Structures are given as C-alpha cells and as structure tokens.
Amino acid sequence: MTTPPHNEPQGLFTSMAADYARHRPGIPPEAVSLLADTMRKADRPALLDLGSGTGQVPAALLPAVPRIDRVDLVDPDQDMLRRAAATLEPRLSGRPAGFHPVAAEDFTPPFDGYRADLITRARSFHPV
C-alpha cells in the first residue's frame, strides 16, 4: 500500500470533528478489557494512541487502568486533538499527556528514553 502525500489542505476534515465525536461508537468493553490486560505488568504504563481522532481509546482506558502514567495522542487533525484534549482533561488528573498534530509516520518521541507500553490504532480512517 502506498501512503498518500501529505499535501492535503489544512483543516480538510475539521468540520468532521464534531460529528465524529458525536456519532462514533465507543470502544466495546471487551476491547477495553483486553487492552487493559496488556498493561497489567507495567508499574507506570505509557499509552501511545496513533490516529487518535477525538481520543476514544485513551478515554476508555484511563478509568480501566488508573495507573497509566502518560498518554500520547497522535493525529494530523488539530481539531480532533482539541476535542480529545477537552474530553480527556478531567480524566488525566494531572498525568502528563502529549497531543501530537502529525501523521503517525511523522511522530517522534517527545523525550529521550521515551517508550510506550501499549500502542493502539483503533478505527483510524486515514493511513497510519
């Protein structure tokens, strides 16, 4: 599969963010349980969500895995990330979070020694 060029007009899907947030079904409880289980051995796990959209995966996992220590969301659509930030802010309870407005293949770790205990890419409608 060939990755399309990154020359789409800025904000191409911006008007979609509100509808996306309103109509996208949540993460099924069975999927949340499965993902949470993968993090059970990590003391202070970090979650990296690629193609985050409005942040449904982190929103579902933060209550299921309260010891998540860091969350990084990657999505090229800044409006989607703004909605994700607004949704996640009360759930983060002061935990560090990074909102990275880039395509997944352009993501670079936010600091030396960064590592994610779980990397997700759920329901992403753009190539990542």
Side-chain angles (χ1 to χ4, degrees), residues 1-107:
M1 178 166 70
T2 305
T3 302
H6 295 287
N7 59 358
E8 297 103 11
Q10 279 290 354
L12 180 63
F13 295 105
T14 301
S15 63
M16 301 276 302
D19 291 333
Y20 185 96
R22 189 173 28 258
H23 300 293
R24 232 13 208 197
I27 307 301
E30 299 83 6
V32 173
S33 179
L34 177 69
L35 293 171
D37 193 45
T38 67
M39 301 175 90
R40 74 177 178 275
K41 292 183 182 179
D43 287 331
R44 298 173 59 191
L47 169 64
L48 172 60
D49 187 32
L50 304 175
S52 297
T54 56
Q56 290 180 337
V57 170
L61 280 174
L62 283 166
V65 187
R67 67 186 187 289
I68 288 177
D69 190 53
R70 180 178 177 88
V71 178
D72 284 282
L73 291 82
V74 178
D75 198 286
D77 188 312
Q78 291 183 3
D79 196 36
M80 294 276 193
L81 288 178
R82 277 191 288 278
R83 286 187 175 276
T87 299
L88 293 176
E89 187 175 347
R91 296 176 186 176
L92 287 168
S93 303
R95 289 175 272 204
F99 298 87
H100 309 273
V102 297
E105 61 269 18
D106 296 328
F107 171 74

